[in-house]
């Protein structure tokens, strides 16, 4: 399985600071065997794709579920692809919990993106109260089911497990905690989709990944990469990309 590292820049950066980050990435020595994708703010997708080395992919951070129409403020997969961008992040916990996106809507977005050949980084994960109540498995299986119900071809899908309590909090799931959920997710795919998909789909971890903890996380058998938030805006993103080098 090819290691996959995504950077989610969220609502950060301007042309000057992103230009500097792009220079750093373009000149860095990156592990050839790792697929790298940077999630840029929508308004900078065209700028980032034009400046960033072609060996690094670009992702939108969200999109809508139809090609065009009267949906003020939204962007479509067709527009994303027209900017030369091949990926989108869907279902991020901030979309779910800050903006109230439902499982159903996220599923519809997944289906529409894949029908239009846009790769999907599909995010799932439990909140702190759900983990403390012991319902982590129920929550992530339910979220995964809605995604899986909308996927015909898994080659363009990456699943990102991001425990909500670890995003931007400085709390990271321990390598054992992350591995446990990743292993259960792979088991769910094996039971509910197919052996082939379970063996090939990348399940990546997100939640306060840093240069300091990435190597230990990357060594876990069912962690196939990372979705990196804050650290993806810093030079240490290069160390995370090379976690398996």
């Amino acid at each position: 399985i090819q290691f996959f590292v995504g950077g989610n820049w969220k609502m950060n950066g301007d042309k000057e600071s992103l230009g500097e980050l792009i220079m750093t990435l373009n000149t860095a020595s990156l592990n050839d065997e790792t697929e790298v994708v940077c999630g840029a703010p929508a308004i900078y997708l065209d700028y980032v794709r034009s400046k960033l080395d072609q060996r690094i992919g670009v992702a939108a951070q969200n999109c809508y579920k139809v090609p065009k129409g009267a949906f003020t403020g939204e962007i479509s997969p067709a527009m994303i692809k027209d900017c030369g961008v091949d990926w989108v992040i869907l279902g991020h916990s901030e979309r779910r919990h800050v903006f109230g996106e439902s499982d159903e809507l996220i599923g519809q977005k997944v289906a529409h993106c894949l029908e239009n050949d846009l790769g999907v980084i599909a995010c799932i994960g439990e909140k702190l109260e759900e983990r403390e109540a012991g319902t982590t498995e129920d929550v992530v299986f339910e979220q995964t089911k809605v995604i899986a119900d909308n996927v015909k071809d898994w080659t363009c899908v990456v699943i990102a497990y991001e425990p909500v309590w670890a995003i931007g909090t400085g709390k990271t799931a321990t390598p054992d905690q992350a591995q446990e959920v990743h292993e259960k997710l792979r088991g769910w795919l094996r039971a509910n989709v197919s052996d082939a998909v379970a063996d090939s789909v990348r399940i990546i971890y997100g939640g306060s990944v840093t240069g300091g903890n990435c190597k230990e996380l990357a060594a876990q058998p069912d962690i196939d990469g990372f979705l990196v938030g804050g650290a993806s805006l810093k030079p240490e993103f290069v160390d995370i990309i090379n976690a398996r080098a």
Side-chain angles (χ1 to χ4, degrees):
I1 296 183
Q2 188 184 19
F3 204 66
F4 183 103
V5 176
N8 179 8
W9 297 348
K10 306 192 181 182
M11 197 176 74
N12 291 298
D14 51 28
K15 283 187 179 174
E16 185 183 6
S17 65
L18 295 179
E20 288 170 13
L21 178 62
I22 289 165
M23 287 268 293
T24 300
L25 292 172
N26 285 353
T27 54
S29 171
L30 305 180
N31 184 349
D32 291 341
E33 290 173 18
T34 296
E35 184 169 4
V36 183
V37 173
C38 291
I43 200 163
Y44 295 134
L45 285 172
D46 208 12
Y47 173 76
V48 171
R49 183 62 287 172
S50 69
K51 299 275 187 200
L52 197 58
D53 192 295
Q54 287 300 320
R55 66 188 169 150
I56 301 172
V58 178
Q61 297 175 12
N62 187 32
C63 70
Y64 200 50
K65 62 179 181 178
V66 294
K68 60 179 184 178
F71 302 102
T72 302
E74 293 290 328
I75 60 172
S76 70
M79 293 171 178
I80 293 167
K81 291 200 69 180
D82 194 34
C83 290
V85 172
D86 297 322
W87 290 92
V88 65
I89 300 168
L90 293 177
H92 191 278
S93 71
E94 288 148 19
R95 298 306 317 171
R96 294 173 186 269
H97 304 307
V98 180
F99 298 101
E101 292 192 10
S102 66
D103 267 338
E104 183 188 20
L105 175 61
I106 292 160
Q108 291 166 340
K109 290 181 178 191
V110 168
H112 180 61
C113 287
L114 294 174
E115 281 160 13
N116 289 274
D117 299 319
L118 188 62
V120 172
I121 301 166
C123 303
I124 58 173
E126 82 284 6
K127 296 193 274 199
L128 184 58
E129 57 267 30
E130 292 165 337
R131 174 162 280 268
E132 288 174 344
T135 59
T136 294
E137 228 170 288
D138 300 339
V139 171
V140 297
F141 287 175
E142 180 55 36
Q143 292 170 338
T144 304
K145 182 183 188 308
V146 178
I147 292 161
D149 286 348
N150 287 285
V151 177
K152 294 188 184 78
D153 175 6
W154 285 84
T155 50
C156 294
V157 180
V158 172
I159 295 174
Y161 167 61
E162 298 203 294
V164 180
W165 49 271
I167 298 175
T169 58
K171 289 181 188 170
T172 314
T174 65
D176 289 345
Q177 282 176 320
Q179 165 60 21
E180 182 187 11
V181 177
H182 281 237
E183 189 177 3
K184 285 176 176 168
L185 284 166
R186 212 175 291 286
W188 187 93
L189 290 169
R190 200 172 296 289
N192 296 279
V193 183
S194 72
D195 282 339
V197 167
D199 291 334
S200 63
V201 77
R202 272 93 55 98
I203 305 175
I204 65 176
Y205 171 77
S208 299
V209 177
T210 65
N213 61 25
C214 63
K215 274 195 162 21
E216 199 183 352
L217 286 161
Q220 300 299 315
D222 289 294
I223 296 182
D224 304 316
F226 303 118
L227 187 56
V228 185
S232 69
L233 291 155
K234 301 172 189 165
E236 73 180 286
F237 187 48
V238 174
D239 300 328
I240 298 170
I241 292 167
N242 294 331
R244 277 217 179 145

